[in-house]
Amino acid sequence: MIGRLALARLAEPAPAAGALDGRTVLVTGAAGGLGRAAALACAAAGAGVVLLGRKVRALETLYDEVAAAGPAPPAIYPLDLAGATPADFGQVADTIERECGRLDGIVHAAAQFAGLQPVDQIKPEEWTRTQQVNLTAPFLLTQACLPLLRLRERAAVVFVFDDPATVGKAFWGGYGVAKHALAGLVSILHEETDSGPVRIHGLLPGPMRSALRRTAWFGEDTLRLPAPDAAGAAAAFLLGDAAAGLRGAILDLRAQNIPAAT
């Protein structure tokens, strides 16, 4: 359990071919490791992907990869979540509705982590930025997009967690606080949407090769860790109909060689 959320495990969860055909999916932090992997997996499963991130050049490079991976052309939405306002998130929803005509899912893959440090050394502006990207932005973006998501019969939102046993320890600061608070938000949001068309999911990746991992575990050879591809595939899987039974649960990818869920 993480808070009130149950953990679920599946052996190598990945979307079937065509599982997201005709759907539109928004991926935040799309130029990052997990965001890129999720965007490519969603495209390969048939979705049209909206790539949201702050680095335009990186998004343009990713655009070509995503376009080659799936049948639907992607879209780019440049936005720095750290400085975004509620009006900016409303504009995201309005633009997707106008340009894409629908929204079937969101993967909240964006993350902000400045490094391990004692609480008494965290600068106020860094604390605020960390809470904004990791907690407030997922809330505001989901809130803005819920009316659009509710127009679909089967929509889903995926929130990404981190190992609570790790990020609850000393020196994890604002990032650890934000990830613990995110569990509360997801639990509440699930209970409020449990009888509607929008499913709420959590995703808890295991150790993987990423910029965040390199920042936190600076003495580790991250090249020996797996790429984020499996986590990205799991995020795409959660958006599909096959994940309906995992509604309100956190898909835990930390364990290896686990039996398939029954």
Side-chain angles (χ1 to χ4, degrees):
M1 297 284 289
I2 296 181
R4 298 179 62 186
L5 299 169
L7 295 176
R9 289 173 177 166
L10 292 174
E12 299 181 359
L20 301 179
D21 278 353
R23 302 189 188 189
T24 298
V25 172
L26 171 64
V27 178
T28 73
L34 177 56
R36 173 184 174 276
L40 290 170
C42 288
V49 186
V50 180
L51 308 170
L52 188 149
R54 62 186 178 86
K55 299 179 180 179
V56 176
R57 186 169 298 178
L59 291 176
E60 291 173 343
T61 299
L62 178 60
Y63 179 97
D64 294 335
E65 294 181 78
V66 173
I76 290 177
Y77 199 108
L79 182 66
D80 185 352
L81 296 179
T85 67
D88 292 326
F89 293 113
Q91 187 61 44
V92 173
D94 291 343
T95 301
I96 291 174
E97 182 176 25
R98 183 177 65 252
E99 300 296 331
C100 303
R102 61 188 291 167
L103 181 63
D104 301 270
I106 304 174
V107 178
H108 290 290
Q112 166 65 25
F113 178 68
L116 301 172
Q117 56 185 319
V119 167
D120 60 358
Q121 294 182 16
I122 301 174
K123 296 180 180 180
E125 57 270 23
E126 182 55 44
W127 173 274
T128 301
R129 179 182 178 87
T130 300
Q131 301 309 308
Q132 167 73 10
V133 175
N134 297 305
L135 178 62
T136 304
F139 158 67
L140 289 174
L141 181 57
T142 302
Q143 183 186 59
C145 291
L146 270 175
L148 192 53
L149 291 165
R150 285 179 172 136
L151 295 176
R152 315 312 309 166
E153 293 183 1
R154 301 179 304 278
V157 183
V158 178
F159 295 85
V160 178
F161 290 85
D162 210 327
D163 189 339
T166 298
V167 301
K169 293 181 179 179
F171 308 122
W172 283 86
Y175 179 81
V177 170
K179 287 300 182 180
H180 278 78
L182 186 67
L185 169 63
V186 172
S187 177
I188 291 169
L189 187 57
H190 163 61
E191 291 196 9
E192 292 182 1
T193 59
D194 192 29
S195 60
V198 182
R199 302 192 318 268
I200 303 300
H201 295 282
L203 178 65
L204 179 53
M208 60 185 178
R209 200 180 311 154
S210 68
L212 194 155
R213 182 79 185 184
R214 287 192 297 272
T215 301
W217 304 86
F218 49 85
E220 178 182 60
D221 181 5
T222 55
L223 292 178
R224 299 183 64 180
L225 296 175
D229 298 354
F237 167 79
L238 288 173
L239 296 176
D241 297 342
L246 299 179
R247 185 172 193 153
I250 298 175
L251 181 56
D252 185 0
L253 304 181
R254 294 173 298 174
Q256 299 295 321
N257 300 319
I258 52 177
T262 58

